Short mmCIF file of all heavy atoms in Angstrom, two decimals:
data_model
loop_
_atom_site.label_atom_id
_atom_site.label_comp_id
_atom_site.label_asym_id
_atom_site.label_seq_id
_atom_site.Cartn_x
_atom_site.Cartn_y
_atom_site.Cartn_z
N VAL A 1 0.85 -1.19 0.00
CA VAL A 1 0.00 0.00 0.00
C VAL A 1 0.89 1.24 0.00
O VAL A 1 1.73 1.41 0.89
CB VAL A 1 -0.94 0.01 1.22
CG1 VAL A 1 -1.74 1.31 1.26
CG2 VAL A 1 -1.87 -1.19 1.18
N MET A 2 0.71 2.09 -0.99
CA MET A 2 1.44 3.34 -1.07
C MET A 2 0.55 4.49 -0.60
O MET A 2 -0.61 4.60 -1.03
CB MET A 2 1.91 3.60 -2.50
CG MET A 2 2.92 2.61 -3.04
SD MET A 2 4.57 2.82 -2.30
CE MET A 2 4.67 1.35 -1.25
N LEU A 3 1.06 5.33 0.25
CA LEU A 3 0.32 6.50 0.70
C LEU A 3 0.30 7.56 -0.40
O LEU A 3 1.14 7.57 -1.29
CB LEU A 3 0.97 7.07 1.96
CG LEU A 3 1.12 6.11 3.14
CD1 LEU A 3 1.85 6.80 4.28
CD2 LEU A 3 -0.25 5.62 3.60
N ARG A 4 -0.64 8.47 -0.31
CA ARG A 4 -0.73 9.56 -1.28
C ARG A 4 0.32 10.63 -0.94
O ARG A 4 -0.01 11.78 -0.60
CB ARG A 4 -2.14 10.16 -1.28
CG ARG A 4 -3.21 9.21 -1.79
CD ARG A 4 -4.56 9.89 -1.84
NE ARG A 4 -5.60 8.97 -2.28
CZ ARG A 4 -5.88 8.72 -3.55
NH1 ARG A 4 -5.21 9.33 -4.50
NH2 ARG A 4 -6.85 7.87 -3.86
N ARG A 5 1.56 10.20 -1.05
CA ARG A 5 2.69 11.06 -0.75
C ARG A 5 3.79 10.73 -1.75
O ARG A 5 3.68 9.78 -2.53
CB ARG A 5 3.21 10.82 0.68
CG ARG A 5 2.20 11.12 1.77
CD ARG A 5 2.64 10.57 3.12
NE ARG A 5 1.64 10.81 4.15
CZ ARG A 5 1.73 11.74 5.07
NH1 ARG A 5 2.80 12.54 5.10
NH2 ARG A 5 0.78 11.90 5.97
N SER A 6 4.86 11.49 -1.70
CA SER A 6 6.01 11.19 -2.53
C SER A 6 6.70 9.93 -2.01
O SER A 6 6.37 9.43 -0.92
CB SER A 6 6.99 12.35 -2.51
OG SER A 6 7.54 12.50 -1.19
N ALA A 7 7.66 9.45 -2.78
CA ALA A 7 8.44 8.30 -2.32
C ALA A 7 9.11 8.63 -0.99
O ALA A 7 9.06 7.84 -0.04
CB ALA A 7 9.48 7.93 -3.37
N ALA A 8 9.73 9.80 -0.93
CA ALA A 8 10.38 10.22 0.33
C ALA A 8 9.34 10.37 1.44
O ALA A 8 9.60 10.02 2.60
CB ALA A 8 11.13 11.52 0.11
N GLY A 9 8.16 10.90 1.09
CA GLY A 9 7.12 11.10 2.08
C GLY A 9 6.61 9.80 2.67
O GLY A 9 6.25 9.74 3.85
N ASN A 10 6.55 8.74 1.86
CA ASN A 10 6.14 7.44 2.38
C ASN A 10 7.10 6.94 3.45
O ASN A 10 6.69 6.42 4.48
CB ASN A 10 6.06 6.43 1.23
CG ASN A 10 4.68 6.33 0.62
OD1 ASN A 10 3.89 5.45 0.97
ND2 ASN A 10 4.36 7.26 -0.28
N ILE A 11 8.39 7.11 3.18
CA ILE A 11 9.39 6.67 4.17
C ILE A 11 9.33 7.57 5.40
O ILE A 11 9.38 7.10 6.54
CB ILE A 11 10.80 6.69 3.55
CG1 ILE A 11 10.85 5.69 2.38
CG2 ILE A 11 11.85 6.33 4.59
CD1 ILE A 11 12.14 5.75 1.59
N GLY A 12 9.21 8.88 5.16
CA GLY A 12 9.16 9.82 6.27
C GLY A 12 7.99 9.57 7.20
O GLY A 12 8.12 9.68 8.43
N PHE A 13 6.84 9.21 6.63
CA PHE A 13 5.66 8.96 7.46
C PHE A 13 5.88 7.74 8.35
O PHE A 13 5.50 7.74 9.53
CB PHE A 13 4.43 8.75 6.58
CG PHE A 13 3.15 8.62 7.35
CD1 PHE A 13 2.57 9.73 7.94
CD2 PHE A 13 2.53 7.39 7.49
CE1 PHE A 13 1.39 9.62 8.66
CE2 PHE A 13 1.35 7.26 8.21
CZ PHE A 13 0.78 8.38 8.80
N ALA A 14 6.50 6.69 7.79
CA ALA A 14 6.79 5.49 8.58
C ALA A 14 7.74 5.83 9.73
O ALA A 14 7.58 5.35 10.85
CB ALA A 14 7.39 4.42 7.69
N LEU A 15 8.72 6.67 9.44
CA LEU A 15 9.68 7.06 10.49
C LEU A 15 9.01 7.93 11.55
O LEU A 15 9.34 7.84 12.74
CB LEU A 15 10.85 7.81 9.85
CG LEU A 15 11.76 6.97 8.95
CD1 LEU A 15 12.77 7.86 8.24
CD2 LEU A 15 12.48 5.89 9.75
N LYS A 16 8.08 8.76 11.12
CA LYS A 16 7.34 9.59 12.07
C LYS A 16 6.53 8.72 13.02
O LYS A 16 6.51 8.94 14.24
CB LYS A 16 6.43 10.55 11.32
CG LYS A 16 5.61 11.46 12.23
CD LYS A 16 4.72 12.39 11.41
CE LYS A 16 3.88 13.28 12.33
NZ LYS A 16 3.00 14.19 11.53
N LEU A 17 5.84 7.72 12.45
CA LEU A 17 5.07 6.81 13.29
C LEU A 17 5.95 6.06 14.26
O LEU A 17 5.54 5.73 15.38
CB LEU A 17 4.30 5.82 12.42
CG LEU A 17 3.14 6.36 11.60
CD1 LEU A 17 2.48 5.25 10.80
CD2 LEU A 17 2.10 7.05 12.49
N ARG A 18 7.17 5.78 13.85
CA ARG A 18 8.11 5.06 14.70
C ARG A 18 8.66 5.96 15.80
O ARG A 18 9.25 5.49 16.78
CB ARG A 18 9.22 4.47 13.86
CG ARG A 18 10.24 3.63 14.59
CD ARG A 18 9.63 2.47 15.37
NE ARG A 18 8.87 1.56 14.56
CZ ARG A 18 9.38 0.50 13.96
NH1 ARG A 18 10.67 0.23 14.05
NH2 ARG A 18 8.61 -0.30 13.27
N GLY A 19 8.47 7.28 15.65
CA GLY A 19 8.91 8.21 16.68
C GLY A 19 10.26 8.83 16.44
O GLY A 19 10.82 9.46 17.35
N LEU A 20 10.81 8.69 15.23
CA LEU A 20 12.11 9.29 14.94
C LEU A 20 11.95 10.80 14.88
O LEU A 20 11.07 11.32 14.20
CB LEU A 20 12.64 8.77 13.60
CG LEU A 20 14.11 9.06 13.31
CD1 LEU A 20 15.01 8.22 14.21
CD2 LEU A 20 14.44 8.77 11.84
N PRO A 21 12.80 11.55 15.58
CA PRO A 21 12.71 13.01 15.58
C PRO A 21 12.82 13.59 14.17
O PRO A 21 13.53 13.04 13.32
CB PRO A 21 13.90 13.44 16.45
CG PRO A 21 14.19 12.26 17.32
CD PRO A 21 13.88 11.07 16.46
N ARG A 22 12.13 14.69 13.92
CA ARG A 22 12.11 15.31 12.60
C ARG A 22 13.52 15.58 12.09
O ARG A 22 13.81 15.39 10.91
CB ARG A 22 11.33 16.62 12.67
CG ARG A 22 11.22 17.35 11.32
CD ARG A 22 10.68 18.74 11.51
NE ARG A 22 9.33 18.71 12.03
CZ ARG A 22 8.23 18.70 11.27
NH1 ARG A 22 8.35 18.72 9.95
NH2 ARG A 22 7.04 18.69 11.82
N ARG A 23 14.41 16.02 12.99
CA ARG A 23 15.76 16.39 12.55
C ARG A 23 16.54 15.19 12.02
O ARG A 23 17.50 15.36 11.28
CB ARG A 23 16.52 17.02 13.71
CG ARG A 23 16.75 16.09 14.89
CD ARG A 23 17.50 16.76 16.03
NE ARG A 23 17.68 15.86 17.16
CZ ARG A 23 16.78 15.67 18.11
NH1 ARG A 23 15.61 16.31 18.06
NH2 ARG A 23 17.01 14.84 19.12
N ASP A 24 16.13 13.99 12.42
CA ASP A 24 16.84 12.79 11.97
C ASP A 24 16.20 12.13 10.76
O ASP A 24 16.83 11.29 10.11
CB ASP A 24 16.90 11.76 13.12
CG ASP A 24 17.66 12.29 14.33
OD1 ASP A 24 18.60 13.09 14.14
OD2 ASP A 24 17.30 11.90 15.45
N ARG A 25 14.96 12.49 10.45
CA ARG A 25 14.23 11.80 9.38
C ARG A 25 14.84 12.05 8.02
O ARG A 25 15.00 11.13 7.21
CB ARG A 25 12.77 12.22 9.37
CG ARG A 25 11.94 11.63 10.49
CD ARG A 25 10.50 12.11 10.39
NE ARG A 25 9.98 12.39 11.72
CZ ARG A 25 9.02 13.25 11.99
NH1 ARG A 25 8.46 13.94 10.99
NH2 ARG A 25 8.60 13.44 13.22
N ARG A 26 15.19 13.32 7.72
CA ARG A 26 15.67 13.64 6.39
C ARG A 26 16.93 12.87 6.04
O ARG A 26 17.05 12.33 4.93
CB ARG A 26 15.94 15.15 6.28
CG ARG A 26 16.43 15.58 4.90
CD ARG A 26 16.54 17.07 4.79
NE ARG A 26 15.24 17.71 4.93
CZ ARG A 26 15.06 19.03 4.90
NH1 ARG A 26 16.10 19.84 4.76
NH2 ARG A 26 13.85 19.55 5.02
N ALA A 27 17.85 12.77 6.99
CA ALA A 27 19.09 12.03 6.73
C ALA A 27 18.81 10.55 6.50
O ALA A 27 19.39 9.93 5.60
CB ALA A 27 20.05 12.21 7.90
N ARG A 28 17.91 10.00 7.30
CA ARG A 28 17.59 8.58 7.16
C ARG A 28 16.88 8.32 5.83
O ARG A 28 17.16 7.32 5.15
CB ARG A 28 16.70 8.14 8.34
CG ARG A 28 16.34 6.66 8.32
CD ARG A 28 17.54 5.78 8.48
NE ARG A 28 17.19 4.37 8.48
CZ ARG A 28 18.00 3.39 8.14
NH1 ARG A 28 19.24 3.67 7.75
NH2 ARG A 28 17.61 2.14 8.18
N ILE A 29 15.98 9.20 5.44
CA ILE A 29 15.29 9.05 4.16
C ILE A 29 16.28 9.07 3.01
O ILE A 29 16.25 8.21 2.12
CB ILE A 29 14.23 10.17 3.98
CG1 ILE A 29 13.08 9.99 4.97
CG2 ILE A 29 13.70 10.16 2.54
CD1 ILE A 29 12.16 11.19 5.05
N GLY A 30 17.18 10.05 3.03
CA GLY A 30 18.17 10.15 1.96
C GLY A 30 19.07 8.94 1.91
O GLY A 30 19.39 8.44 0.81
N GLU A 31 19.46 8.44 3.06
CA GLU A 31 20.34 7.27 3.12
C GLU A 31 19.66 6.05 2.52
O GLU A 31 20.25 5.33 1.69
CB GLU A 31 20.71 6.99 4.58
CG GLU A 31 21.51 5.72 4.78
CD GLU A 31 21.62 5.31 6.24
OE1 GLU A 31 21.13 6.07 7.11
OE2 GLU A 31 22.17 4.23 6.51
N VAL A 32 18.41 5.81 2.90
CA VAL A 32 17.71 4.61 2.44
C VAL A 32 17.39 4.71 0.95
O VAL A 32 17.53 3.73 0.21
CB VAL A 32 16.43 4.39 3.27
CG1 VAL A 32 15.58 3.29 2.67
CG2 VAL A 32 16.80 4.04 4.71
N LEU A 33 16.97 5.88 0.48
CA LEU A 33 16.69 6.04 -0.94
C LEU A 33 17.95 5.80 -1.78
O LEU A 33 17.90 5.19 -2.84
CB LEU A 33 16.12 7.43 -1.23
CG LEU A 33 14.68 7.66 -0.78
CD1 LEU A 33 14.30 9.12 -0.94
CD2 LEU A 33 13.70 6.77 -1.54
N ALA A 34 19.08 6.27 -1.29
CA ALA A 34 20.33 6.06 -2.01
C ALA A 34 20.71 4.59 -2.02
O ALA A 34 21.14 4.05 -3.06
CB ALA A 34 21.44 6.89 -1.36
N ARG A 35 20.54 3.90 -0.91
CA ARG A 35 20.94 2.50 -0.81
C ARG A 35 20.03 1.60 -1.63
O ARG A 35 20.43 0.49 -2.01
CB ARG A 35 20.93 2.05 0.66
CG ARG A 35 22.01 2.71 1.50
CD ARG A 35 21.85 2.40 2.96
NE ARG A 35 22.27 1.04 3.30
CZ ARG A 35 22.22 0.56 4.53
NH1 ARG A 35 21.77 1.32 5.53
NH2 ARG A 35 22.60 -0.68 4.77
N THR A 36 18.83 2.07 -1.94
CA THR A 36 17.89 1.25 -2.71
C THR A 36 17.79 1.70 -4.16
O THR A 36 16.96 1.17 -4.92
CB THR A 36 16.50 1.30 -2.06
OG1 THR A 36 16.07 2.67 -1.92
CG2 THR A 36 16.51 0.62 -0.70
N GLY A 37 18.60 2.67 -4.56
CA GLY A 37 18.60 3.12 -5.94
C GLY A 37 17.38 3.94 -6.32
O GLY A 37 17.04 4.03 -7.51
#
């Protein structure tokens, strides 16, 4: 199921639900998107 968000937004929403602070989300999103091509 894909949310009505961007690819980055889908990952960011999952991280938000997990409780990751906003300041850490962007770096984690960029890292994972890069590692998955």
Side-chain angles (χ1 to χ4, degrees):
V1 175
M2 295 287 109
L3 303 177
R4 293 184 182 275
R5 299 167 183 257
S6 66
N10 268 263
I11 298 173
F13 186 74
L15 293 172
K16 180 180 179 180
L17 290 180
R18 183 56 58 90
L20 193 71
R22 181 191 296 270
R23 63 180 179 276
D24 298 328
R25 285 180 220 154
R26 181 174 296 178
R28 182 64 179 155
I29 292 168
E31 174 192 357
V32 171
L33 287 172
R35 292 172 75 180
T36 55

